Amino acid sequence: MTRRNRDSGSGLLRSALNSSRVPSSTGRTSQRDTPQLQYSQQASRDVSDDEFDDAASTASSDAWVMNEDEHIEIGDEWEPLLDTALDALGEKRAAAREKTLQSMLRLMAHTYMGDGLEGRRVMLLEALRRSVRSTKSHVEQERALHGISLWFVNFGTQDEAESEFASVSEQLRVMVVDPAGDSQVRAQALGALGVANFIAGADFRDAAELAQFVHTRVLDPALESRDMAVALQAFSTLGLLLTVVADGDSLLLENIFDAAFDSHMRGLRADSVDVRVSAAQNFALVHSALGADSDYAFDSQDELIGMLEMLQHESSKRLGKRDISVQRTAVREVLRTIEDSNAPELKLNLHGRIVRFGDWTRIVRLQAFRRVLGGGLPVHFARNELVQDVFEVKFDSTGDEFARNRARVVVNPSSELAKMRSRDIRRRRDARRDELLSDLD
């Protein structure tokens, strides 16, 4: 179960989301201004037939409209495709394994697998971990690490997620702090580590321990060396973990963030706009969490507000139009939260239904799941109980309305998925032929 209580088996995340610490839609959030979601870490793009999009979405209006990609089809026959892909991971050529992993990512993102693969879930995870360990290809490592994130999203409510968490966490921690490692690989490993902890960690104390690890062992060295890829993922992962700490112990949250305050201030001065935005959002997240029941102020709040105001009015001569727009929008929403306790509101159109997110906790979590699932997010909102529990959303996937709004997906005949399907059909046909011939003999 997701970050469950070991004794009662109840879902800690779900109970925390239902607690009074999260503002209700009829409370303060109903009066908040609706922002543009221009401040996501990376620009989004459509998912092609042969490439999975793991970028965070942006939108130019007050509604973040997300519908299923109408050019992706997987259907109900995904298990034979996944079996074929697992066989193909044994290929000697790295390029072939990279393509196979690409197809696996699409399968795992655009299909909810949690109720399937009985008895083979750990085998899938081990195959992904083996691809991380046994290759010199950074592309293969990145894709396999992304697959580990998807594995925990798909199977997070199953017993295997809890039992495998410790060994996966140990492997990922070693990769994250390896100074000789590739920056993008380390960032992907850190993202997987954060998602795994969020889903399968024991409780908020696990999240707190990892948050301190990320701050001292990853974020500070990345800022020192100006490794923006790792720094960006470190701020994002910290934000996700702090949402869990906030639901468990507000004093612990305050202590952790006090220790990381100066690092976040350095993040606001980073060369990368995306890093600045991620650091700024963490200020808003923590301020809104600690100020939910009282008037809260950071110890150096005047200095922070001065820095944010400077970023909000920074000249466009030094930054491109996209960067200046992203930064100004993000900083404006952060300032509204810190100065006026006004959090943003996001609206998603999922299967014809508008889902609203009116506080920073849900927004930060949404960004994390969007980075993992990309265009497959609507599928998991509709079918994945873990995602529904995290965001307190329920869908009736059996109704006529869901069927009308569900996109029809089509496999491109030249895509890797189509080729894998054809190979699988040929393999099974050949096996049946050999069996018939043996019977005749």
Side-chain angles (χ1 to χ4, degrees):
M1 295 297 292
T2 308
R3 207 172 268 283
R4 58 189 174 185
N5 183 299
R6 296 288 195 255
D7 299 324
S8 66
S10 61
L12 176 63
L13 275 178
R14 185 167 187 171
S15 62
L17 280 166
N18 287 327
S19 72
S20 58
R21 292 190 56 79
V22 179
S24 68
S25 59
T26 57
R28 290 167 55 191
T29 57
S30 62
Q31 301 174 353
R32 292 169 179 165
D33 295 329
T34 301
Q36 299 172 327
L37 192 69
Q38 289 275 8
Y39 47 72
S40 295
Q41 280 83 343
Q42 294 170 284
S44 67
R45 53 187 171 81
D46 293 335
V47 184
S48 69
D49 283 312
D50 290 319
E51 186 172 1
F52 178 73
D53 176 20
D54 64 345
S57 264
T58 61
S60 58
S61 66
D62 63 352
W64 184 16
V65 179
M66 183 187 298
N67 294 304
E68 283 185 286
D69 189 328
E70 296 184 1
H71 303 290
I72 301 168
E73 167 161 335
I74 293 168
D76 297 327
E77 299 298 322
W78 58 267
E79 289 202 43
L81 287 173
L82 191 60
D83 288 337
T84 303
L86 285 170
D87 290 342
L89 280 183
E91 288 276 350
K92 292 184 178 180
R93 293 182 301 114
R97 297 193 302 273
E98 291 167 8
K99 284 188 175 182
T100 297
L101 283 166
Q102 183 175 318
S103 297
M104 290 177 67
L105 294 183
R106 292 178 57 76
L107 280 169
M108 297 175 75
H110 291 272
T111 306
Y112 173 53
M113 301 180 173
D115 297 328
L117 285 187
E118 193 74 37
R120 292 177 293 157
R121 296 163 187 159
V122 174
M123 181 179 70
L124 170 59
L125 179 62
E126 285 300 322
L128 293 167
R129 295 179 65 185
R130 190 163 52 249
S131 282
V132 172
R133 290 191 303 263
S134 306
T135 183
K136 296 180 180 179
S137 165
H138 294 157
V139 172
E140 183 178 357
Q141 285 184 310
E142 284 185 62
R143 290 179 179 174
L145 288 164
H146 189 169
I148 290 174
S149 296
L150 285 164
W151 188 91
F152 277 96
V153 171
N154 272 284
F155 302 109
T157 60
Q158 306 298 331
D159 291 339
E160 290 90 343
E162 180 184 343
S163 62
E164 295 299 315
F165 168 67
S167 61
V168 171
S169 178
E170 182 178 356
Q171 178 185 3
L172 295 177
R173 285 183 186 232
V174 171
M175 294 187 69
V176 164
V177 297
D178 180 7
D182 176 77
S183 290
Q184 296 296 334
V185 171
R186 291 176 63 209
Q188 193 70 254
L190 180 57
L193 179 60
V195 168
N197 186 285
F198 178 83
I199 292 172
D203 57 24
F204 68 88
R205 286 173 285 266
D206 269 6
E209 187 277 327
L210 181 58
Q212 292 169 318
F213 171 87
V214 172
H215 166 219
T216 58
R217 300 289 304 278
V218 184
L219 176 58
D220 281 349
L223 291 172
E224 187 68 30
S225 63
R226 296 190 174 184
D227 188 334
M228 293 297 101
V230 174
L232 174 58
Q233 187 58 63
F235 279 122
S236 300
T237 299
L238 262 176
L240 178 63
L241 296 170
L242 292 177
T243 67
V244 180
V245 180
D247 286 338
D249 187 331
S250 58
L251 181 59
L252 181 58
L253 170 68
E254 187 173 1
N255 290 336
I256 290 173
F257 199 74
D258 280 348
F261 187 93
D262 290 342
S263 299
H264 280 74
M265 290 295 289
R266 290 173 65 192
L268 295 180
R269 296 188 289 268
D271 296 333
S272 165
V273 167
D274 292 336
V275 170
R276 297 180 197 175
V277 166
S278 192
Q281 287 183 342
N282 284 354
F283 280 113
L285 168 70
V286 173
H287 192 279
S288 62
L290 295 176
D293 303 315
S294 63
D295 293 331
Y296 174 80
F298 294 115
D299 289 340
S300 302
Q301 185 152 304
D302 289 343
E303 179 187 356
L304 170 61
I305 290 175
M307 172 65 74
L308 291 171
E309 288 177 342
M310 184 185 72
L311 292 175
Q312 187 179 13
H313 299 102
E314 188 171 12
S315 170
S316 59
K317 293 180 180 178
R318 201 170 69 86
L319 298 173
K321 289 184 178 180
R322 176 264 176 192
D323 286 342
I324 202 68
S325 175
V326 168
Q327 181 169 292
R328 285 177 176 173
T329 303
V331 170
R332 180 171 64 248
E333 298 307 329
V334 171
L335 281 169
R336 284 179 180 175
T337 298
I338 294 175
E339 294 181 316
D340 304 321
S341 297
N342 287 325
E345 181 181 83
L346 274 179
K347 292 187 288 188
L348 272 67
N349 185 350
L350 298 169
H351 301 294
R353 173 180 170 184
I354 300 298
V355 181
R356 289 177 170 81
F357 302 82
D359 62 83
W360 280 105
T361 291
R362 285 177 173 81
I363 290 171
V364 167
R365 291 175 177 179
L366 182 64
Q367 290 175 339
F369 276 80
R370 175 69 173 100
R371 281 190 290 271
V372 174
L373 293 167
L377 184 63
V379 174
H380 287 264
F381 260 98
R383 301 185 181 279
N384 189 335
E385 183 180 345
L386 182 148
V387 174
Q388 293 173 359
D389 283 354
V390 168
F391 296 103
E392 290 189 305
V393 175
K394 291 295 181 184
F395 280 86
D396 179 9
S397 59
T398 62
D400 293 338
E401 183 179 352
F402 178 87
R404 284 196 301 271
N405 287 293
R406 185 172 181 230
R408 181 178 180 275
V409 271
V410 180
V411 171
N412 184 327
S414 62
S415 70
E416 270 311 298
L417 283 176
K419 294 174 184 176
M420 285 172 55
R421 179 178 294 177
S422 297
R423 288 195 295 268
D424 184 61
I425 292 172
R426 286 197 301 270
R427 179 175 59 82
R428 285 185 288 174
R429 186 174 58 221
D430 291 344
R432 286 195 300 269
R433 182 196 61 196
D434 293 343
E435 185 178 353
L436 286 172
L437 289 174
S438 65
D439 289 342
L440 289 174
D441 293 340

